[in-house]
Amino acid sequence: MKSFKFKQFEIQQSKNVFRVGTDGVLLGSLANVDNVSKVLEVGTGTGLISLMLAQRNSQANFLGIDINEEAVNLTKSNFENSPFYLRLENILQDFKAFQSKEKFDLIVSNPPYFEESDSEKDKLARQTVELNFLQLISKSSGSLSENGILSVIIPFEAGNDFVRIALENQLFLIRQVNIKGIENSKVKRLVLEFSLAKKEVEESEFIIEKSPRQYSDQYLELTKEFHVFKEVRN
């Protein structure tokens, strides 16, 4: 499969691992990576999100985990070929069994949300069979540093359930970005961020396209340090 070139790094892709898509680009661009030193990405896929965050924060160290061996090998290759390779590590690991003495300042994930699929790739990367919201949230709650943040991108329809489960696990919503595919359309994705401490929720709207196949000024500005502008699709 054709590689995807960004300004400072390149993503090698595979037919058996989810390719570069808008969701990953958005989370890599929007997740709050300020003032963090230790970052964990749950479900790295190609390594895109960690690479984008590593470009945005030149001091942080990153650990990525995935249960798909091919994804792990692909991510390792993408990490090693990037200018940030000294700060990036990726391992084969099931997050449900993940143990670490370290606490993380940021846990980031583009988590599973398709309930059913015939594709083996989808089963590993997207089905809640492998990692459901409760497992992701409860495990993250115990792995965050005192001021740590959990940052995810999920479908709008799953938002209320995710927020409810987070609250039940002592994680409080502090930021919500409502993402629309095009102006005057319904919200289709949410970037949600949670912390162990209650704060006032920061809410904003983000529009990907101003018209079909025409990126919005918002999107162009957000991703200008990454994209050699070409169409990015899920």
Side-chain angles (χ1 to χ4, degrees):
M1 183 178 287
K2 189 176 180 181
S3 65
F4 199 104
K5 293 184 179 181
F6 290 85
K7 287 186 176 180
Q8 294 192 33
F9 57 86
E10 184 172 349
I11 299 287
Q12 297 295 328
Q13 303 189 101
S14 164
K15 65 180 181 180
N16 296 319
V17 177
F18 264 82
R19 67 187 188 277
V20 171
T22 306
D23 283 3
V25 171
L26 287 171
L27 188 57
S29 300
L30 288 167
N32 185 357
V33 76
D34 295 338
N35 303 313
V36 306
S37 58
K38 296 177 183 176
V39 181
L40 173 67
E41 182 182 359
V42 180
T44 49
T46 61
L48 168 67
I49 295 169
S50 286
L51 283 163
M52 292 182 73
L53 295 177
Q55 180 179 325
R56 290 175 56 205
N57 183 325
S58 62
Q59 304 302 315
N61 291 296
F62 294 79
L63 174 64
I65 62 175
D66 205 298
I67 58 171
N68 180 339
E69 187 171 4
E70 185 170 351
V72 170
N73 291 333
L74 187 62
T75 293
K76 284 182 178 179
S77 176
N78 288 330
F79 282 178
E80 289 169 359
N81 290 322
S82 79
F84 325 115
Y85 70 96
L86 290 176
R87 299 185 287 119
L88 294 160
E89 181 184 1
N90 197 55
I91 59 173
L92 181 65
Q93 177 72 61
D94 185 337
F95 190 47
K96 298 191 293 290
F98 177 70
Q99 300 292 333
S100 174
K101 294 179 181 179
E102 292 185 316
K103 298 290 186 178
F104 296 91
D105 305 311
L106 173 64
I107 298 176
V108 63
S109 184
N110 179 7
Y113 51 76
F114 294 157
E115 295 296 336
E116 295 180 1
S117 171
D118 293 329
S119 164
E120 286 301 317
K121 171 178 75 172
D122 288 354
K123 286 178 183 177
L124 286 174
R126 285 287 178 264
Q127 278 194 5
T128 59
V129 170
E130 296 296 341
L131 180 69
N132 63 37
F133 286 163
L134 174 58
Q135 292 161 340
L136 171 63
I137 291 166
S138 61
K139 193 72 176 180
S140 295
S141 179
S143 301
L144 286 172
S145 62
E146 183 180 358
N147 297 313
I149 291 173
L150 169 64
S151 184
V152 300
I153 186 166
I154 60 172
F156 172 77
E157 295 77 13
N160 287 337
D161 281 343
F162 201 99
V163 172
R164 174 183 56 79
I165 296 169
L167 189 58
E168 291 170 354
N169 285 269
Q170 290 73 55
L171 283 175
F172 301 95
L173 180 67
I174 59 170
R175 183 181 177 212
Q176 177 171 322
V177 183
N178 302 312
I179 298 170
K180 296 181 177 181
I182 195 167
E183 282 185 305
N184 302 317
S185 65
K186 293 180 179 180
V187 176
K188 74 170 192 172
R189 293 284 189 271
L190 298 171
V191 168
L192 302 177
E193 295 192 336
F194 301 85
S195 76
L196 295 166
K198 282 186 178 180
K199 299 177 184 178
E200 185 174 347
V201 179
E202 175 190 334
E203 187 169 0
S204 60
E205 181 177 275
F206 188 90
I207 297 168
I208 299 171
E209 295 181 340
K210 58 186 176 184
S211 60
R213 298 188 176 280
Q214 293 293 319
Y215 285 127
S216 69
D217 293 342
Q218 221 178 356
Y219 185 88
L220 292 171
E221 178 64 24
L222 181 74
T223 62
K224 66 182 181 181
E225 299 303 320
F226 298 102
H227 269 326
V228 177
F229 275 101
K230 296 178 181 179
E231 290 294 324
V232 181
R233 297 297 185 211
N234 285 323

